């Protein structure tokens, strides 16, 4: 492989993807940037493949500037971009201009713009929609952003399921506090990245620099602290950083995907530090707030969204704002592509594709509700982290029913059960299939629930 080519594929491209992922909303990144494939760097021409002409045009009209700046920053020189339009094998041919010959479109990259901030300017309080599930957390974050280290809430810990706005709020604090010059040094980091950086610094004998970097922060925002689990040395390092900042009256804000008492594998000294400030939860948002978020996103994209469509999506995607936004972005892209308005039919198509959910089949939420009712539990318990026998059993039963009655992927089902992965769903399904043969209670529960969900018993138990 020529030098420039291996450099593009192994170094520049991964760095570029990381950088651009931090700049764009996650869904936009996944929809538009991830499908781009680098081919090679030919002199100053970077050749990239995109799947469709539409894709190319969307990238050019929405992200060209950011791509241009980031590449210039990474390479320190002016690159020309050439796009080759090339449908993916197995793509959806009727929608893709596959008859178009590959096109090469040169674009000039201009001067580099330095920007080393860990904060994403997109996440601000102004575009964070308030609802019952998040209003207290939002108020606490705003109060802290206005007076970091000067409220009694140190540390502030926000917890809640994935996709409910924790990262958005942490970043909003950082953006607000820097914009209003409340502090000079803000550091935002996920505990995962913190762990990697720490390991790296130890390996390179630079752990003192690492400590200094974080101990010099005036506002430290640490996202997803559950990843600290079982990282013992990192926890010790973080413990000292925590104490040093805390004693100096610097503000610390943390987020977690579960309540503190469910943070397994984290030292009790750290746990008690986490508990010493204010702990606030973000819960799933109510219907009206979900609609408001969609309408706001539509406005941001410059495409007004008919109320019945916002309501349709908000009815069917209930637990995760990230998914809700994902459906909307796809819908708007589709409408632009076909040059039509966003219609309800289009929304139904998108929902079916995105979630595998046909609107008439029992959705996962309904299965979760019925199973929870059957066991006398709260629905949240099924999506939560508890490993209590009864809850775990109910959860497995609900997952098994979901694999049986819906067209959702295992991944998606796991996702709606508190972000579990597909192997957990397979395990649940297999366990229930086995228990159904051995245990009368499970057998009867399964049959009753199936009846309630108004479905016939499957002809084969091995599905
Ligand atoms: P988490 O960190 O809890 O998994 P994120 O903060 O990444 O969730 O939120 C997922 C997506 O949903 C982001 O694009 C975020 O901007 C959006 N989002 C979540 N809550 C709200 C809200 N209340 N108003 C506007 N956008 C929101
Ligand atoms: Mg997050």
């Amino acid at each position: 492989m020529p030098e420039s080519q291996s450099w593009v594929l192994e170094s520049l491209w991964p760095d570029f993807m990381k950088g651009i992922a931090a700049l764009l909303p996650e869904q936009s990144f996944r929809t538009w940037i991830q499908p781009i494939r680098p081919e090679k760097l030919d002199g100053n021409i970077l050749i990239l493949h995109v799947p469709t002409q539409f894709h190319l045009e969307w990238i050019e009209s929405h992200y060209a500037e950011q791509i241009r700046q980031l590449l210039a920053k990474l390479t320190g020189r002016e690159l020309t971009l050439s796009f080759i339009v090339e449908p993916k094998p197995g793509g959806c041919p009727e929608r893709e201009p596959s008859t178009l010959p590959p096109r090469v479109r040169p674009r000039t990259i201009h001067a580099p713009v330095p920007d080393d901030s860990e904060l994403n300017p997109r996440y601000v309080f102004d575009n964070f929609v308030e609802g019952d599930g998040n209003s207290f957390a939002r108020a606490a974050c705003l109060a802290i952003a206005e007076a970091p280290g000067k409220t009694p809430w140190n540390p502030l810990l926000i917890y809640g399921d994935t996709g409910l706005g924790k990262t958005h709020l942490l970043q909003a604090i950082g953006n607000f506090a820097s914009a209003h010059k409340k502090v000079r040094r803000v550091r935002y980091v996920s505990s995962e990245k913190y762990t990697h950086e720490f390991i790296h610094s130890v390996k390179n004998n630079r752990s003192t620099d690492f400590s200094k970097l974080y101990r010099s922060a005036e506002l430290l925002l640490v996202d997803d602290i559950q990843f600290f689990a079982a990282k013992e040395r990192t926890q010790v390092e973080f413990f000292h950083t925590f104490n040093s900042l805390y004693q100096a009256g610097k503000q610390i804000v943390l987020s977690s995907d579960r309540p503190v008492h469910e943070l397994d594998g984290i030292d009790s000294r750290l746990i008690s530090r986490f508990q010493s400030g204010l702990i606030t939860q973000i819960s799933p948002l109510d219907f009206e707030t979900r609609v408001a978020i969609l309408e706001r996103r539509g406005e941001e994209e410059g495409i007004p969204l008919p109320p019945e469509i916002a309501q349709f999506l908000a009815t069917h995607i209930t637990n995760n704002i990230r998914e809700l936004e994902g459906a909307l972005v796809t819908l708007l892209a589709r409408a632009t592509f076909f040059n039509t308005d966003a219609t309800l039919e289009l929304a139904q198509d998108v929902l079916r594709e995105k979630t595998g959910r046909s609107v008439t089949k029992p959705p996962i939420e309904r299965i979760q509700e019925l199973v929870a009712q059957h066991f006398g539990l709260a629905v949240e318990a099924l999506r939560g982290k508890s490993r209590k026998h009864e809850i775990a059993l109910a959860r497995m039963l609900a997952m098994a029913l979901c694999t049986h009655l819906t067209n959702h992927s295992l991944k998606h089902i796991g996702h709606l059960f508190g972000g579990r992965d597909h192997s957990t769903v397979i395990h649940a399904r297999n366990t229930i299939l086995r228990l159904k043969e051995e245990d009368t209670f499970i057998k009867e529960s399964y049959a009753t629930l199936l009846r309630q969900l108004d479905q016939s018993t499957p002809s084969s138990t091995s599905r």
Side-chain angles (χ1 to χ4, degrees):
M1 204 183 274
E3 174 63 35
S4 65
Q5 188 169 345
S6 67
W7 176 69
V8 169
L9 299 181
E10 285 159 24
S11 171
L12 174 62
W13 195 250
D15 287 349
F16 168 76
M17 292 300 259
K18 245 198 334 228
I20 198 89
L23 291 174
L24 301 181
E26 189 181 330
Q27 194 60 42
S28 312
F29 171 76
R30 274 207 238 123
T31 310
W32 303 112
I33 306 296
Q34 227 164 31
I36 305 176
R37 296 279 167 258
E39 173 151 315
K40 64 175 174 183
L41 186 64
D42 194 354
N44 269 348
I45 302 178
L46 179 59
I47 302 178
L48 303 172
H49 289 250
V50 288
T52 62
Q53 182 63 29
F54 173 63
H55 205 112
L56 166 57
E57 280 161 15
W58 187 276
I59 289 173
E60 283 183 335
S61 57
H62 288 76
Y63 308 117
E65 185 67 11
Q66 279 155 307
I67 293 178
R68 196 173 59 66
Q69 290 182 359
L70 181 59
L71 281 171
K73 186 178 148 195
L74 291 172
T75 60
R77 60 190 159 127
E78 293 212 341
L79 293 185
T80 301
L81 287 189
S82 288
F83 287 107
I84 299 177
V85 176
E86 186 188 66
K88 276 201 302 267
C92 109
E94 76 276 15
R95 285 195 179 130
E96 295 185 354
S98 51
T99 48
L100 276 179
R103 273 178 75 171
V104 175
R105 299 248 219 132
R107 285 282 171 277
T108 308
I109 307 284
H110 299 293
V113 174
D115 176 21
D116 287 329
S117 162
E118 301 285 340
L119 292 172
N120 182 336
R122 198 184 89 81
Y123 293 125
V124 289
F125 287 111
D126 283 347
N127 61 12
F128 189 83
V129 179
E130 196 177 336
D132 280 350
N134 65 26
S135 66
F136 186 76
R138 181 186 175 279
C141 288
L142 190 56
I144 280 174
E146 279 170 344
K150 299 189 181 71
T151 67
W153 305 329
N154 204 11
L156 171 71
L157 171 70
I158 306 170
Y159 75 91
D161 278 342
T162 185
L164 292 184
K166 301 183 294 297
T167 297
H168 192 134
L169 279 179
L170 252 61
Q171 292 254 346
I173 297 175
N175 281 319
F176 185 99
S178 342
H180 293 83
K181 306 213 171 4
K182 303 288 179 186
V183 285
R184 273 164 305 158
R185 286 183 304 276
V186 179
R187 284 213 78 79
Y188 166 88
V189 71
S190 69
S191 66
E192 208 175 5
K193 179 155 182 252
Y194 183 92
T195 304
H196 289 155
E197 283 180 2
F198 176 60
I199 294 170
H200 191 74
S201 75
V202 171
K203 230 167 43 194
N204 296 303
N205 287 324
R206 301 191 70 96
S207 57
T208 320
D209 294 345
F210 176 85
S211 303
K212 265 198 207 138
L213 179 69
Y214 284 98
R215 288 173 208 181
S216 68
E218 291 171 84
L219 169 59
L220 178 62
L221 309 158
V222 186
D223 212 349
D224 289 317
I225 53 169
Q226 70 275 2
F227 284 115
F228 277 142
K231 318 282 178 356
E232 285 156 23
R233 266 192 81 180
T234 310
Q235 285 183 32
V236 171
E237 168 63 27
F238 185 64
F239 180 73
H240 292 305
T241 294
F242 187 104
N243 288 340
S244 147
L245 292 179
Y246 183 81
Q247 277 153 19
K250 309 298 183 204
Q251 181 72 48
I252 302 160
V253 185
L254 311 162
S255 87
S256 158
D257 72 352
R258 63 201 77 178
V260 176
H261 66 270
E262 288 179 15
L263 283 168
D264 296 332
I266 295 191
D267 192 310
S268 56
R269 293 185 308 169
L270 264 181
I271 295 282
S272 76
R273 293 294 185 283
F274 296 162
Q275 285 169 328
S276 65
L278 176 69
I279 298 182
T280 165
Q281 182 179 9
I282 306 194
S283 325
L285 298 174
D286 54 77
F287 175 74
E288 288 74 12
T289 311
R290 298 199 298 275
V291 171
I293 289 177
L294 288 173
E295 285 176 345
R296 166 152 220 141
R297 267 316 286 272
E299 279 163 25
E300 274 173 24
E301 303 284 339
I303 309 178
L305 194 62
E308 71 272 14
I309 295 191
Q311 288 168 15
F312 171 80
L313 292 176
T315 303
H316 291 281
I317 303 179
T318 55
N319 289 330
N320 187 325
I321 305 303
R322 189 177 292 125
E323 263 187 26
L324 197 59
E325 287 187 337
L328 178 66
V329 169
T330 308
L331 173 68
L332 297 181
R334 200 62 68 70
T336 312
F337 181 54
F338 290 123
N339 201 14
T340 63
D341 291 333
T343 60
L344 208 51
E345 289 71 48
L346 216 48
Q348 279 162 347
D349 278 356
V350 168
L351 188 73
R352 197 172 313 116
E353 275 169 41
K354 281 254 151 200
T355 65
R357 184 184 311 167
S358 123
V359 181
T360 51
K361 283 213 173 167
I364 291 182
E365 285 77 4
R366 168 132 182 82
I367 296 176
Q368 290 178 333
E369 273 164 27
L370 272 179
V371 173
Q373 214 177 4
H374 186 83
F375 282 79
L377 299 169
V379 180
E380 289 71 41
L382 300 182
R383 302 176 194 137
K385 311 286 169 192
S386 168
R387 300 210 187 110
K388 267 200 200 138
H389 178 70
E390 190 197 23
I391 296 178
L393 187 65
R395 187 184 295 130
M396 285 196 290
L397 190 64
M399 286 187 192
L401 282 164
C402 289
T403 63
H404 183 152
L405 294 176
T406 72
N407 298 326
H408 295 288
S409 68
L410 297 169
K411 191 169 162 219
H412 181 73
I413 293 173
H415 187 64
L416 290 189
F417 279 84
R420 291 177 159 80
D421 69 17
H422 78 287
S423 61
T424 309
V425 181
I426 295 175
H427 174 74
R429 183 186 59 188
N430 293 345
T431 308
I432 293 299
L433 288 177
R434 182 170 50 75
L435 287 178
K436 240 165 43 128
E437 305 305 317
E438 297 168 7
D439 183 320
T440 340
F441 172 66
I442 297 297
K443 185 176 168 195
E444 282 172 9
S445 297
Y446 199 86
T448 308
L449 285 160
L450 269 186
R451 249 198 326 278
Q452 287 179 346
L453 287 159
D454 200 24
Q455 299 280 330
S456 55
T457 317
S459 51
S460 152
T461 51
S462 62
R463 232 193 85 172

